[in-house]
Coordinates of all heavy atoms in Angstrom, one line a residue:
Q559 N -0.4 -71.8 60.9 CA -0.4 -70.4 61.4 C 0.4 -69.5 60.4 O 0.2 -68.3 60.3 CB 0.2 -70.3 62.8 CG -0.7 -70.7 63.8 CD -0.1 -70.8 65.2 OE1 1.1 -70.7 65.4 NE2 -1.0 -70.9 66.2
G560 N 1.4 -70.1 59.7 CA 2.1 -69.4 58.7 C 1.5 -69.4 57.3 O 2.2 -69.1 56.4
G561 N 0.3 -69.8 57.3 CA -0.5 -69.8 56.0 C 0.1 -70.9 55.0 O 0.0 -70.7 53.8
W562 N 0.7 -71.9 55.6 CA 1.3 -73.0 54.8 C 2.5 -72.5 53.9 O 2.9 -73.1 53.0 CB 0.3 -73.8 54.0 CG -0.7 -74.4 54.9 CD1 -1.9 -73.9 55.2 CD2 -0.6 -75.5 55.7 NE1 -2.6 -74.7 56.2 CE2 -1.7 -75.7 56.5 CE3 0.4 -76.5 55.9 CZ2 -1.9 -76.8 57.4 CZ3 0.2 -77.6 56.7 CH2 -1.0 -77.7 57.5
S563 N 3.0 -71.4 54.3 CA 4.2 -70.8 53.6 C 5.5 -71.3 54.4 O 5.6 -71.0 55.6 CB 4.1 -69.3 53.6 OG 5.4 -68.7 53.3
L564 N 6.4 -71.9 53.7 CA 7.6 -72.3 54.3 C 8.5 -71.2 54.8 O 9.0 -71.2 55.9 CB 8.5 -73.2 53.3 CG 7.8 -74.6 52.9 CD1 8.7 -75.2 51.8 CD2 7.7 -75.5 54.1
E565 N 8.5 -70.1 54.1 CA 9.3 -68.9 54.4 C 8.7 -68.3 55.7 O 9.5 -68.0 56.6 CB 9.3 -67.9 53.3 CG 10.1 -68.3 52.1 CD 9.4 -69.3 51.2 OE1 8.2 -69.5 51.3 OE2 10.1 -69.8 50.3
R566 N 7.4 -68.1 55.7 CA 6.8 -67.5 57.0 C 7.0 -68.4 58.2 O 7.3 -67.9 59.2 CB 5.3 -67.2 56.7 CG 5.1 -65.8 56.0 CD 3.6 -65.5 56.0 NE 3.1 -66.5 55.1 CZ 2.1 -66.3 54.2 NH1 1.4 -65.2 54.3 NH2 1.7 -67.2 53.4
T567 N 6.7 -69.7 58.0 CA 6.9 -70.6 59.1 C 8.3 -70.6 59.6 O 8.5 -70.7 60.8 CB 6.4 -72.0 58.7 OG1 5.0 -71.9 58.2 CG2 6.4 -73.0 59.8
A568 N 9.3 -70.7 58.7 CA 10.7 -70.7 59.1 C 11.0 -69.4 59.9 O 11.7 -69.5 61.0 CB 11.6 -70.8 57.9
E569 N 10.5 -68.3 59.5 CA 10.7 -67.1 60.2 C 10.1 -67.1 61.6 O 10.7 -66.7 62.6 CB 10.1 -65.9 59.4 CG 10.4 -64.5 59.9 CD 9.8 -63.4 59.0 OE1 10.0 -63.5 57.8 OE2 9.2 -62.5 59.6
Q570 N 8.8 -67.6 61.7 CA 8.2 -67.8 63.0 C 9.0 -68.6 63.9 O 9.1 -68.4 65.1 CB 6.8 -68.4 62.8 CG 5.7 -67.6 62.3 CD 4.4 -68.4 62.0 OE1 3.7 -67.9 61.2 NE2 4.3 -69.5 62.6
L571 N 9.6 -69.7 63.4 CA 10.4 -70.7 64.2 C 11.8 -70.2 64.4 O 12.6 -71.0 64.9 CB 10.3 -72.1 63.5 CG 8.9 -72.7 63.5 CD1 8.9 -74.0 62.7 CD2 8.5 -73.0 65.0
K572 N 12.2 -69.1 63.8 CA 13.5 -68.5 63.9 C 14.6 -69.5 63.4 O 15.6 -69.9 64.0 CB 13.8 -68.1 65.3 CG 12.9 -67.0 65.8 CD 13.3 -66.6 67.3 CE 12.5 -65.5 67.8 NZ 11.2 -65.1 67.3
T573 N 14.3 -70.0 62.2 CA 15.2 -71.0 61.5 C 15.2 -70.6 60.0 O 14.5 -69.6 59.6 CB 14.7 -72.4 61.7 OG1 15.7 -73.3 61.2 CG2 13.3 -72.7 61.1
T574 N 15.9 -71.3 59.2 CA 15.9 -71.1 57.8 C 14.9 -72.0 57.1 O 14.4 -73.0 57.7 CB 17.3 -71.4 57.2 OG1 17.6 -72.8 57.3 CG2 18.4 -70.6 57.9
R575 N 14.5 -71.6 55.9 CA 13.6 -72.4 55.1 C 14.2 -73.8 54.9 O 13.5 -74.8 55.0 CB 13.4 -71.7 53.8 CG 12.5 -72.4 52.8 CD 12.3 -71.6 51.5 NE 11.4 -72.2 50.6 CZ 11.6 -73.2 49.7 NH1 12.9 -73.6 49.6 NH2 10.7 -73.6 48.9
D576 N 15.5 -73.9 54.6 CA 16.1 -75.2 54.3 C 16.1 -76.1 55.6 O 15.8 -77.3 55.5 CB 17.5 -75.1 53.8 CG 17.6 -74.5 52.4 OD1 16.5 -74.6 51.7 OD2 18.6 -73.9 52.0
E577 N 16.4 -75.5 56.7 CA 16.3 -76.2 58.0 C 14.9 -76.7 58.3 O 14.7 -77.8 58.8 CB 16.9 -75.4 59.1 CG 18.3 -75.2 59.1 CD 18.9 -74.2 60.0 OE1 18.1 -73.2 60.4 OE2 20.1 -74.2 60.3
L578 N 13.9 -75.9 58.0 CA 12.5 -76.3 58.2 C 12.2 -77.4 57.3 O 11.5 -78.4 57.7 CB 11.6 -75.1 58.0 CG 10.1 -75.4 58.0 CD1 9.7 -76.0 59.4 CD2 9.2 -74.2 57.7
I579 N 12.6 -77.4 56.1 CA 12.3 -78.5 55.1 C 12.9 -79.8 55.6 O 12.2 -80.8 55.6 CB 12.9 -78.1 53.7 CG1 12.0 -77.0 53.1 CG2 12.9 -79.4 52.8 CD1 12.6 -76.4 51.8
V580 N 14.1 -79.8 56.1 CA 14.7 -81.0 56.6 C 14.0 -81.4 57.9 O 13.8 -82.6 58.1 CB 16.3 -80.8 56.9 CG1 16.9 -81.9 57.6 CG2 17.0 -80.6 55.5
R581 N 13.6 -80.5 58.7 CA 12.9 -80.8 59.9 C 11.5 -81.5 59.6 O 11.2 -82.5 60.2 CB 12.6 -79.6 60.7 CG 12.0 -79.7 62.1 CD 12.0 -78.4 62.8 NE 11.2 -78.6 64.0 CZ 10.9 -77.5 64.9 NH1 11.4 -76.3 64.6 NH2 10.2 -77.7 65.9
L582 N 10.9 -81.0 58.6 CA 9.6 -81.6 58.1 C 9.9 -83.0 57.6 O 9.1 -83.9 57.9 CB 9.0 -80.8 57.0 CG 8.3 -79.4 57.5 CD1 8.0 -78.6 56.3 CD2 7.1 -79.7 58.3
R583 N 10.9 -83.2 56.9 CA 11.3 -84.5 56.4 C 11.6 -85.5 57.5 O 11.0 -86.6 57.6 CB 12.5 -84.5 55.5 CG 12.7 -85.9 54.8 CD 14.1 -86.3 54.5 NE 14.9 -86.1 55.7 CZ 16.2 -85.7 55.7 NH1 16.8 -85.4 54.6 NH2 16.9 -85.5 56.8
N584 N 12.3 -85.0 58.5 CA 12.7 -85.8 59.7 C 11.5 -86.2 60.5 O 11.5 -87.2 61.2 CB 13.8 -85.1 60.5 CG 15.1 -85.1 59.8 OD1 15.3 -85.8 58.8 ND2 15.9 -84.2 60.3
A585 N 10.5 -85.3 60.5 CA 9.2 -85.6 61.3 C 8.3 -86.5 60.5 O 7.2 -86.8 61.0 CB 8.5 -84.2 61.6
G586 N 8.6 -86.9 59.3 CA 7.8 -87.8 58.5 C 6.9 -87.1 57.6 O 6.0 -87.7 57.0
F587 N 7.1 -85.8 57.3 CA 6.3 -85.1 56.4 C 7.0 -84.8 55.1 O 6.5 -83.9 54.3 CB 5.9 -83.7 57.0 CG 4.9 -83.9 58.2 CD1 5.2 -83.3 59.4 CD2 3.8 -84.6 58.1 CE1 4.4 -83.4 60.5 CE2 2.9 -84.8 59.2 CZ 3.2 -84.2 60.4
G588 N 8.0 -85.5 54.8 CA 8.7 -85.3 53.5 C 7.8 -85.5 52.3 O 8.0 -84.9 51.3
Y589 N 6.8 -86.3 52.4 CA 5.9 -86.6 51.3 C 5.1 -85.4 50.9 O 4.5 -85.3 49.8 CB 5.0 -87.8 51.6 CG 4.0 -87.5 52.7 CD1 2.8 -87.0 52.5 CD2 4.4 -87.8 54.1 CE1 1.9 -86.8 53.5 CE2 3.5 -87.6 55.1 CZ 2.3 -87.0 54.8 OH 1.4 -86.8 55.9
L590 N 5.0 -84.4 51.8 CA 4.3 -83.1 51.5 C 5.1 -82.2 50.6 O 4.5 -81.3 50.0 CB 4.0 -82.4 52.8 CG 3.1 -83.1 53.8 CD1 2.9 -82.3 55.1 CD2 1.7 -83.3 53.2
L591 N 6.4 -82.5 50.4 CA 7.2 -81.6 49.6 C 7.7 -82.3 48.3 O 7.8 -83.5 48.4 CB 8.4 -81.2 50.4 CG 8.1 -80.5 51.8 CD1 9.3 -80.5 52.7 CD2 7.6 -79.1 51.5
K592 N 7.9 -81.6 47.3 CA 8.4 -82.2 46.1 C 9.8 -82.6 46.3 O 10.6 -82.0 47.0 CB 8.3 -81.2 45.0 CG 6.8 -80.8 44.6 CD 6.8 -80.1 43.3 CE 5.3 -79.7 43.1 NZ 4.8 -79.9 41.8
E593 N 10.2 -83.7 45.6 CA 11.5 -84.3 45.8 C 12.6 -83.3 45.5 O 13.6 -83.3 46.2 CB 11.6 -85.6 44.9 CG 12.8 -86.4 45.2 CD 12.9 -87.0 46.6 OE1 11.8 -87.3 47.2 OE2 14.0 -87.2 47.1
H594 N 12.5 -82.5 44.5 CA 13.6 -81.6 44.1 C 13.7 -80.5 45.2 O 14.8 -80.0 45.4 CB 13.4 -81.0 42.7 CG 12.3 -80.0 42.6 ND1 11.0 -80.3 42.4 CD2 12.4 -78.6 42.7 CE1 10.3 -79.2 42.4 NE2 11.0 -78.2 42.5
V595 N 12.7 -80.1 45.9 CA 12.7 -79.1 46.9 C 13.5 -79.7 48.1 O 14.4 -79.1 48.7 CB 11.3 -78.7 47.3 CG1 11.3 -77.8 48.6 CG2 10.6 -78.0 46.2
L596 N 13.2 -81.0 48.5 CA 13.9 -81.6 49.6 C 15.4 -81.8 49.2 O 16.2 -81.4 50.1 CB 13.3 -83.1 49.7 CG 12.2 -83.2 50.7 CD1 11.6 -84.6 50.6 CD2 12.6 -82.9 52.1

């Protein structure tokens, strides 16, 4: 729904981009992100 944009999705979820990235990793989706971004 956020167009696969981390910034827009974080805003929709009322969180920060970094918190969303960690949440994605914790949910098992870390492989979708580049290692340096994580």
Side-chain angles (χ1 to χ4, degrees):
Q559 287 176 345
W562 300 96
S563 163
L564 293 173
E565 289 79 9
R566 274 186 292 211
T567 304
E569 188 177 312
Q570 283 173 203
L571 294 172
K572 297 178 179 23
T573 190
T574 67
R575 179 180 185 272
D576 290 339
E577 289 169 336
L578 175 60
I579 288 170
V580 170
R581 187 174 171 185
L582 287 167
R583 187 215 50 215
N584 292 343
F587 293 126
Y589 66 91
L590 296 175
L591 303 165
K592 295 192 182 223
E593 188 65 31
H594 74 276
V595 172
L596 269 172

